[in-house]
Amino acid sequence: MKSAKQLESLRIGVAGEHLVVAQMNLRGWDASLTEKNYPMIDIFGRNPQTGQFVSVQVKSSSPKANSFLIGFNHNNRHEMEDTVMGPYVFVHFNDELTADFYILSKKEFIELVNRTDDIYFNKPRRTPIKDNYPIDVKIHDLAPYKDAWENLWK
């Protein structure tokens, strides 16, 4: 049985995915949720004007959070090029009813993760950190990508 915290996390994730599908459809693109049996893909989308298809990964966070876990560790981030299928959309809930969207192409996502993780890993410390820590993306690092929906098609 899932804890209350796990259930809340699942609800936030599902809500974020549905909001991204809604935003894509409102912008004139076709979008639908996957059946959860596609690794690294939450939404399939299509731009009817160009015929281009896209596979989108969505990460959502609660109002209390200041970052997103992305499912990679420092020691396996080199696998991103092969495992990331397409753009990432980060959904940060400001409260129960409003959210901000940050949209990065696959290339932008990988570059941001590598850059910010290098800074974190190489920061001077008294005690060295282990290289298997989970990577997170800070909301303030996503600011340039706020509402950049065109990044879905890069």
Side-chain angles (χ1 to χ4, degrees):
M1 183 158 184
K2 296 198 183 295
S3 70
K5 186 176 180 178
Q6 289 171 317
L7 289 173
E8 179 65 14
S9 179
L10 285 171
R11 281 194 282 275
I12 288 170
V14 169
E17 291 169 2
H18 281 275
L19 284 174
V20 173
V21 166
Q23 288 291 323
M24 290 175 71
N25 281 296
L26 288 169
R27 286 171 165 71
W29 306 318
D30 303 326
S32 63
L33 293 170
T34 66
E35 294 294 326
K36 299 301 167 213
N37 56 347
Y38 288 93
M40 304 295 292
I41 301 171
D42 293 317
I43 297 169
F44 289 123
R46 185 180 76 87
N47 184 332
Q49 292 180 326
T50 65
Q52 183 181 358
F53 287 90
V54 68
S55 301
V56 180
Q57 175 70 34
V58 178
K59 295 292 181 186
S60 302
S61 70
S62 72
K64 299 174 195 166
N66 66 358
S67 66
F68 298 84
L69 286 173
I70 59 167
F72 289 97
N73 296 325
H74 177 75
N75 61 355
N76 74 352
R77 75 176 198 187
H78 63 278
E79 299 172 4
M80 287 189 299
E81 191 65 47
D82 294 329
T83 56
V84 171
M85 304 302 291
Y88 267 62
V89 178
F90 293 91
V91 180
H92 177 66
F93 286 91
N94 299 310
D95 54 41
E96 294 82 24
L97 299 175
T98 64
D100 291 324
F101 300 91
Y102 305 92
I103 304 91
L104 289 79
S105 69
K106 174 182 177 176
K107 180 181 177 190
E108 291 166 331
F109 170 74
I110 292 171
E111 288 174 354
L112 176 72
V113 169
N114 284 329
R115 180 173 43 81
T116 58
D117 187 50
D118 283 344
I119 292 167
Y120 178 77
F121 185 75
N122 293 314
K123 194 165 61 171
R125 295 183 168 75
R126 289 180 188 214
T127 307
I129 58 173
K130 295 182 180 178
D131 65 356
N132 64 344
Y133 62 85
I135 297 173
D136 65 352
V137 174
K138 306 281 189 239
I139 293 170
H140 64 81
D141 290 324
L142 295 170
Y145 307 99
K146 186 174 182 182
D147 294 323
W149 290 98
E150 67 280 1
N151 288 341
L152 287 179
W153 309 105
K154 287 185 178 177

